[in-house]
């Protein structure tokens, strides 16, 4: 055992009272600095590339590097729990600045209402806080178990632990990172390959199949994009020159299937919440009881209702609707916010992907079919798109912390660490909010918006008629059936996610990775642990490659 004077700051096995505090000056200052960096990176990437990569691994590696500098003060950062809070803050700032703040407030602006930028920013900031708070209260519950995959969280934790533990585990992680970087360089989505080696088998299969299906429909063939080129294996499957995506039947197929799967998922959530039981935590299996989960989701919906009312007032959209339509808008906006959050969260838990933009688009289309006017539709989709990203990102961070704290063996330590991560996440949100409030006008004045803002605005302008409603309803039926048959594996949600954001190369990579996993694990059960570590490394390597290549390319983007 080490003495107090020579304490091992990297140790996992500490008491709850020894866990570093997020408000300690040495942690708070670095968290703020890293959050500023993360927020700026998120803003630049979302307007210039359309995506905001996961910066949690970057934050963890930065903390590891400075902790190794030969300065006595910096040795405090050798604590894996300090490093965990730092990666929590930077990832929270990156995702919130880009996906939760700048993207939503750009929607009314691009629709010609610059005056609504700050009112919208206030609304989405509150929504983001609610989003993260619901996750904090429901993490490690029956709906969102800590033992779930939450892939980016696993990758961050394994990266931090590899530095501490060294040995075979570190070697396997490095091999995985080499696979991740190498694959990305030639066009293979090795982040998905990595997730397939430790994610839920059935859910990842559904994601892979959905990705291949939409890839075939979009390209009218089986075409593999790799090495910067397209390699057609089979062409003109549906006839020469066929473009199925030009018809509403296939254009809205992914959305309809997600609607059906999502509705069944929400029913499954309801059954879970209201089933008879002891109301406790499933015999101590989860740290968040069923009673707490009910309270968090119920309170969250009420909070979303209050924010929807606030948005209706401060944006002035209440004057564009009658009383009945306004009430429907408020109720539907709150429902869309929490439903989007849950659907996106489930997808993120199983696959590491969260179809936030696509899910927001679905609720926009439904709102159009209900008959809301243009500006209320813009506020609706902005509000909905702000919920989900923070939920998923914070879950990844809490999963990282869960592993670093010993996977829940010390419940008091787990709860204390989770609380400190929540505070660190809020620090990231506040920093991101301030930066967006200062910098948003400069971005918009230069015509720099998140690309999806134009998609939302164009969709509102185009409108949705009866033919769209027909195909959404028709495709919702198989989506509901798939989700129902898949049970708790959320096969329908993941299949729809593949349809919404997948491609042939993504699907093929997932299915090949799953086949490798099946063969190796069947041959020797111990190979599962090896694949888990290498998969985490592959995801980490792919994330680092995507981050640095995107960041280094910022100056070249126009």
């Amino acid at each position: 055992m080490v003495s107090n004077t020579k304490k091992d700051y990297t140790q996992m096995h500490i008491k709850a009272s020894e866990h570093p505090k997020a408000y300690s000056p040495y942690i708070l200052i670095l968290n703020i600095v890293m959050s500023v960096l993360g927020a700026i990176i998120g803003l630049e990437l979302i307007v210039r590339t359309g995506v905001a990569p996961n910066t949690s691994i970057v934050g963890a590696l930065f903390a590891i590097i400075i902790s190794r500098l030969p300065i006595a003060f910096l040795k405090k950062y050798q604590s894996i729990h300090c490093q965990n809070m730092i990666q929590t803050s930077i990832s929270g700032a990156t995702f919130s600045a880009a996906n939760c703040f700048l993207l939503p407030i750009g929607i009314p602006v691009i629709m010609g209402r610059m005056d609504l930028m700050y009112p919208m920013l206030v609304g989405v900031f509150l929504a983001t806080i609610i989003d993260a708070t619901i996750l904090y209260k429901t993490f490690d519950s029956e709906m969102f178990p800590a033992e779930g995959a939450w892939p980016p969280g696993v990758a961050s934790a394994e990266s931090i632990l590899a530095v501490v533990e060294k040995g075979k585990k570190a070697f396997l992680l490095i091999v995985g990172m080499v696979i991740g970087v190498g694959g990305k360089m030639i066009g293979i989505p090795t982040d998905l390959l990595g997730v397939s080696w430790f994610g839920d088998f059935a859910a990842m299969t559904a994601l892979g199949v959905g990705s291949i299906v939409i890839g075939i429909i979009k390209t009218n063939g089986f075409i593999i994009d790799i090495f910067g080129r397209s390699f057609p294996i089979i062409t003109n499957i549906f006839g020469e020159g066929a473009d199925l995506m030009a018809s509403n039947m296939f254009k809205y197929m992914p959305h309809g299937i997600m609607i059906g799967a999502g509705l069944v998922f929400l029913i499954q959530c309801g059954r879970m919440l209201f089933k008879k039981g002891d109301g406790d935590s499933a015999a101590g299996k989860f740290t968040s009881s069923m009673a707490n989960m009910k309270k968090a989701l119920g309170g969250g919906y009420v909070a979303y209702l209050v924010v929807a009312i606030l948005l209706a007032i401060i944006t002035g959209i209440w004057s564009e609707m009658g009383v009945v339509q306004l009430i429907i808008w408020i109720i539907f906006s709150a429902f869309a916010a929490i439903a989007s959050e849950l659907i996106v969260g489930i997808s993120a838990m199983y696959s590491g992907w969260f179809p936030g933009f696509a899910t927001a688009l679905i609720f926009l289309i439904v709102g159009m079919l209900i008959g809301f006017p243009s500006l209320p539709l813009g506020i609706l989709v902005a509000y909905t798109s702000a919920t989900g990203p923070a939920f998923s990102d914070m879950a990844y961070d809490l999963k990282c912390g869960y592993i670093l704290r010993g996977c829940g063996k010390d419940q008091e330590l787990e709860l204390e660490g989770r609380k400190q991560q929540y505070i660190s996440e809020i620090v990231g949100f506040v920093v991101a909010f301030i930066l967006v409030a200062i910098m948003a006008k400069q971005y918009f004045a230069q015509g720099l918006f998140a690309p999806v803002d134009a998609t939302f605005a164009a969709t509102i302008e185009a409108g949705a008629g009866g033919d769209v409603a027909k195909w959404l309803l028709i495709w919702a039926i198989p989506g509901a059936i798939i989700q129902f048959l898949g049970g708790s594996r959320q096969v329908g949600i993941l299949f729809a996610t593949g349809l919404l954001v997948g491609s042939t190369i993504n699907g093929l990579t997932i299915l090949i990775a799953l086949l490798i996993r099946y063969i190796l694990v069947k041959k020797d059960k111990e190979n599962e642990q090896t694949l888990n570590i290498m998969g985490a490394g592959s995801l980490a390597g792919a994330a680092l490659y995507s981050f640095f290549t995107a960041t280094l390319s910022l100056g070249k983007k126009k």
Side-chain angles (χ1 to χ4, degrees), residues 204-456:
M204 291 306 297
T205 300
L207 181 68
V209 172
S211 296
I212 286 180
V213 168
I214 199 63
I216 290 172
I217 291 174
K218 283 183 175 180
T219 62
N220 188 23
F222 193 87
I223 301 172
I224 300 174
D225 295 315
I226 194 172
F227 300 110
R229 295 178 57 194
S230 293
F231 295 90
I233 308 301
I234 304 173
T235 58
N236 296 322
I237 291 178
F238 307 108
E240 189 171 354
D243 182 9
L244 298 187
M245 296 303 289
S247 68
N248 284 340
M249 176 180 177
F250 289 99
K251 183 178 180 180
Y252 292 101
M253 179 185 75
H255 307 83
I257 289 179
M258 180 61 95
I259 288 172
L263 287 174
V264 171
F265 165 66
L266 293 175
I267 293 170
Q268 291 169 335
C269 290
R271 289 185 62 189
M272 186 187 301
L273 289 171
F274 296 107
K275 69 181 180 181
K276 292 183 178 180
D278 59 5
D280 207 347
S281 56
K285 182 179 179 182
F286 305 107
T287 54
S288 183
S289 70
M290 186 63 71
N292 286 340
M293 189 166 72
K294 291 177 182 178
K295 185 177 179 181
L297 292 175
Y301 181 73
V302 171
Y304 281 134
L305 270 177
V306 172
V307 175
I309 293 171
L310 176 66
L311 276 173
I313 294 172
I314 63 178
T315 61
I317 61 171
W318 63 271
S319 62
E320 297 191 17
M321 297 178 282
V323 175
V324 174
Q325 193 177 44
L326 176 61
I327 292 172
I328 294 172
W329 184 91
I330 291 169
I331 294 172
F332 181 73
S333 294
F335 169 78
I338 199 162
S340 174
E341 168 186 281
L342 296 177
I343 291 170
V344 168
I346 281 292
S347 180
M349 179 173 73
Y350 281 98
S351 70
W353 278 20
F354 53 91
F357 305 158
T359 306
L361 183 61
I362 289 170
F363 286 106
L364 170 62
I365 293 169
V366 174
M368 292 165 67
L369 295 173
I370 291 173
F372 296 130
S374 294
L375 189 57
L377 283 171
I379 302 301
L380 166 68
V381 73
Y383 187 36
T384 306
S385 63
T387 64
F391 187 95
S392 304
D393 175 63
M394 186 172 175
Y396 299 153
D397 297 331
L398 294 186
K399 174 67 174 185
C400 176
Y402 175 76
I403 295 172
L404 297 178
R405 291 186 287 268
C407 297
K409 291 177 182 175
D410 182 340
Q411 190 172 114
E412 187 180 358
L413 172 62
E414 171 59 22
L415 293 176
E416 175 62 22
R418 202 181 297 171
K419 175 183 174 183
Q420 298 307 320
Q421 281 191 265
Y422 174 70
I423 297 171
S424 297
E425 193 90 14
I426 298 300
V427 169
F429 293 162
V430 171
V431 170
F433 172 79
I434 294 170
L435 281 179
V436 172
I438 294 170
M439 300 172 66
K441 276 190 176 180
Q442 284 85 343
Y443 278 109
F444 297 154
Q446 298 174 64
L448 294 173
F449 294 83
V452 75
D453 287 350
T455 301
F456 289 142

Side-chain angles (χ1 to χ4, degrees), residues 253 256-261 263 471-481:
M253 179 185 75
I257 289 179
M258 180 61 95
I259 288 172
L263 287 174
W471 289 113
L472 288 176
L473 181 61
I474 290 173
W475 286 117
I477 296 170
I481 293 171

Side-chain angles (χ1 to χ4, degrees), residues 524-536:
D524 185 350
K525 183 69 175 175
E526 290 187 6
N527 286 333
E528 187 167 20
Q529 180 63 21
T530 299
L531 285 174
N532 285 347
I533 298 171
M534 288 181 65

Side-chain angles (χ1 to χ4, degrees), residues 15-270:
K15 297 178 182 178
S17 59
E18 297 176 311
H19 193 285
K21 306 300 181 187
Y23 46 78
S24 296
Y26 73 99
I27 293 178
L28 182 60
I29 291 170
L30 189 56
N31 275 352
I32 292 173
V33 171
M34 294 305 292
S35 294
V36 170
L37 176 64
I40 291 172
I41 289 169
L43 293 175
E44 283 292 302
L45 289 175
I46 197 71
V47 299
R48 300 182 192 275
T49 70
V51 297
N54 191 334
T55 53
S56 58
I57 296 175
V58 177
L61 292 178
F62 181 85
I64 290 168
I65 290 169
I66 67 168
S67 73
R68 268 33 186 194
L69 296 176
I71 302 173
F73 171 77
L74 298 179
K75 286 189 179 295
K76 291 183 179 182
Y77 296 113
Q78 287 182 11
S79 165
I80 58 176
H81 307 293
C82 286
Q83 293 165 11
N84 180 38
M85 286 191 284
I86 291 164
Q87 68 86 15
T88 297
S89 273
I90 188 173
S91 66
T94 303
F95 275 104
S96 62
N99 295 317
C100 304
F101 301 156
L102 193 73
L103 185 156
I105 69 173
I107 296 171
V109 173
I110 212 168
M111 294 176 69
R113 294 296 303 270
M114 176 66 84
D115 59 306
L116 297 185
M117 186 184 80
Y118 287 120
M120 193 74 242
L121 181 58
V122 171
V124 294
F125 174 70
L126 294 174
T128 301
I129 297 293
I130 296 167
D131 197 21
T133 302
I134 292 175
L135 185 278
Y136 172 62
K137 296 290 187 180
T138 60
F139 186 76
D140 199 26
S141 63
E142 187 173 346
M143 190 179 297
F144 297 108
E147 292 183 354
W150 304 113
V154 176
S156 295
E158 294 292 355
S159 299
I160 292 172
L161 289 177
V163 177
V164 177
E165 298 177 358
K166 305 182 176 69
K168 180 182 177 182
K169 188 173 186 178
F171 174 74
L172 290 173
L173 190 81
I174 291 171
V175 170
M177 292 179 77
V178 171
I179 293 172
V181 173
K184 274 287 187 179
M185 289 177 70
I186 63 174
I188 297 175
T190 39
D191 46 355
L192 293 175
L193 179 142
V195 174
S196 300
W197 282 347
F198 63 89
D200 182 86
F201 201 96
M204 291 306 297
T205 300
L207 181 68
V209 172
S211 296
I212 286 180
V213 168
I214 199 63
I216 290 172
I217 291 174
K218 283 183 175 180
T219 62
N220 188 23
F222 193 87
I223 301 172
I224 300 174
D225 295 315
I226 194 172
F227 300 110
R229 295 178 57 194
S230 293
F231 295 90
I233 308 301
I234 304 173
T235 58
N236 296 322
I237 291 178
F238 307 108
E240 189 171 354
D243 182 9
L244 298 187
M245 296 303 289
S247 68
N248 284 340
M249 176 180 177
F250 289 99
K251 183 178 180 180
Y252 292 101
M253 179 185 75
H255 307 83
I257 289 179
M258 180 61 95
I259 288 172
L263 287 174
V264 171
F265 165 66
L266 293 175
I267 293 170
Q268 291 169 335
C269 290

